Amino acid sequence: MHDVYSATAADTAVVGSILGESFRDDPVLVHIAGKDGLADVLYPQAYRLVYAALGHTYLIRDDAGHPAGCSMWVGPGQSTDDLSLGTILQLTWTVLRSHGPATLYRLLKLGQVTSPKHPKERHYYLNAIGILRAGQGQGLGGQLMEHVLRMADQEGVPTYLENSREQNLAFYRRYNFEVTEQLTPLPGGPPLWLMRREPRE
């Protein structure tokens, strides 16, 4: 077993590096931003400005003791919908400066489609989970998942995610997630699988 620990503001670069590499070729982000994707820019800023304060981002070390995996969650009763104007402007400027107005428009459109799909009741939302290539095959992704799923079960709340890779469906189903809807959030873009897990006794 590897220790799962909470990320802090000091881990912004680590979180950004892990998720930036893991989502560099994400089908939805590539469709939004082109072949170079958006993850390297988006995840460090999103964590620094939003997710660090929520306190549900977790890191895990590989067999060599290096941070190699990360999961970024929104906890029950928390929301990313009520961001301050300053935070919105910083995130907007980051995307606009690095990728231009067309990318910003598609990113905002994605949020408009997916945000209303989130469960209305208290739940844990998995925004992102990723393992560096060097740490894959060590069970790190499963341990990151189980860390939060145990909390969800103890609190009796469901868990929700949006999966952008068909090959990852089996991984999530292993942890009792089921597809509730498949949709194409952007015209001509790749599909998303919305998945939900009910709490276990």
Side-chain angles (χ1 to χ4, degrees):
M1 295 292 290
H2 303 76
D3 288 335
V4 176
Y5 61 100
S6 295
T8 68
D11 295 309
T12 297
V14 172
V15 170
S17 176
I18 293 172
L19 295 181
E21 176 182 313
S22 300
F23 284 84
R24 188 167 295 139
D25 60 350
D26 178 81
V28 173
L29 291 183
V30 169
H31 178 74
I32 287 173
K35 64 181 177 62
D36 294 329
L38 185 60
D40 289 339
V41 171
L42 188 61
Y43 282 110
Q45 277 289 74
Y47 178 68
R48 183 177 71 84
L49 294 171
V50 181
Y51 288 89
L54 299 181
H56 282 293
T57 297
Y58 302 97
L59 291 164
I60 190 169
R61 293 185 174 90
D62 60 17
D63 290 341
H66 305 300
C70 178
S71 63
M72 183 185 289
W73 302 77
V74 179
Q78 298 178 329
S79 174
T80 59
D81 292 334
D82 302 318
L83 301 178
S84 70
L85 178 60
T87 297
I88 293 172
L89 289 175
Q90 287 184 72
L91 289 170
T92 299
W93 175 241
T94 295
V95 176
L96 192 61
R97 182 180 57 187
S98 65
H99 286 78
T103 292
L104 177 62
Y105 172 79
R106 287 190 289 268
L107 188 63
L108 293 174
K109 193 69 177 175
L110 174 68
Q112 289 176 353
V113 173
T114 57
S115 289
K117 301 289 186 178
H118 288 225
K120 300 299 184 284
E121 72 268 40
R122 289 166 54 85
H123 66 283
Y124 281 93
Y125 164 57
L126 176 60
N127 176 272
I129 184 170
I131 306 297
L132 294 178
R133 195 164 300 167
Q136 293 177 3
Q138 300 176 25
L140 304 183
Q143 289 175 54
L144 281 170
M145 288 293 297
E146 290 169 351
H147 182 77
V148 173
L149 296 182
R150 281 194 296 270
M151 293 191 286
D153 290 344
Q154 290 168 2
E155 297 171 38
V157 298
T159 314
Y160 171 79
L161 61 86
E162 295 148 356
N163 172 42
S164 57
R165 299 177 190 269
E166 187 170 10
Q167 62 265 37
N168 288 346
L169 289 172
F171 171 78
Y172 293 122
R173 283 176 170 141
R174 193 183 313 155
Y175 297 97
N176 299 303
F177 283 89
E178 295 296 338
V179 175
T180 59
E181 185 177 355
Q182 180 180 335
L183 53 83
T184 302
L186 297 171
L192 271 180
W193 291 266
L194 313 186
M195 305 187 75
R196 176 180 170 121
R197 176 189 183 272
E198 300 299 333
R200 317 286 284 186
E201 295 184 358

